[in-house]
Amino acid sequence: MNINLSGLKQSTVLKEILSDPKDASEISCFLRIGVDGFKGINEKFGIDYGDKILQGVAKCILDNLEPGYQAFHVVSDEYIITAPKECDVEDLHELYRQIRRSVDLVIEKNNYEALY
């Protein structure tokens, strides 16, 4: 499977899924997540540090996914999560809140300073 440095599937895998009508019909909706200020993080702290941020966010995403959900690192600081047919908008809102709480806890625990 096409996995990138974040540990998530690449956008090419998402494109393959969406191009197959049977696979695409199993998806009810998408959740897009981005890292605010990521360009500034890379510029101030370097690409290696930025890669660690991307990997950390990806781990927080994976740690909160339930069966049937899939996560993709699509470009730079953007992720897409696909949700199964049984999912509704409130489920996605709750998933976002859980991921956000996980990211906040990692930041707090590690005393990250990624301000620019």
Side-chain angles (χ1 to χ4, degrees):
M1 181 142 321
N2 296 323
I3 305 292
N4 58 35
L5 78 95
S6 71
L8 299 179
K9 298 171 193 168
Q10 296 179 14
S11 60
T12 55
V13 177
L14 178 58
K15 289 176 187 174
E16 289 172 11
I17 290 169
L18 295 176
S19 67
D20 182 324
K22 181 180 175 286
D23 290 342
S25 70
E26 296 299 315
I27 299 170
S28 67
C29 46
F30 300 87
L31 174 61
R32 180 186 162 270
I33 297 177
V35 178
D36 290 342
F38 185 71
K39 181 179 178 191
I41 291 169
N42 264 347
E43 288 173 354
K44 181 169 183 175
F45 298 101
I47 292 173
D48 288 340
Y49 185 84
D51 288 349
K52 289 188 186 324
I53 298 290
L54 295 176
Q55 291 165 346
V57 172
K59 182 175 180 347
C60 290
I61 290 170
L62 287 174
D63 288 350
N64 286 283
L65 291 187
E66 295 182 13
Y69 289 78
Q70 295 188 71
F72 304 87
H73 184 193
V74 291
V75 64
S76 183
D77 65 336
E78 294 185 19
Y79 306 86
I80 296 285
I81 298 170
T82 60
K85 281 185 177 181
E86 308 81 41
C87 177
D88 63 24
V89 173
E90 186 50 43
D91 293 331
L92 285 180
H93 283 242
E94 181 56 29
L95 175 59
Y96 172 78
R97 288 188 288 270
Q98 290 172 346
I99 292 168
R100 182 60 205 226
R101 279 192 298 271
S102 292
V103 169
D104 289 345
L105 286 173
V106 168
I107 290 170
E108 184 178 316
K109 177 182 170 190
N110 294 298
N111 297 318
Y112 286 169
E113 184 180 332
L115 305 173
Y116 56 95

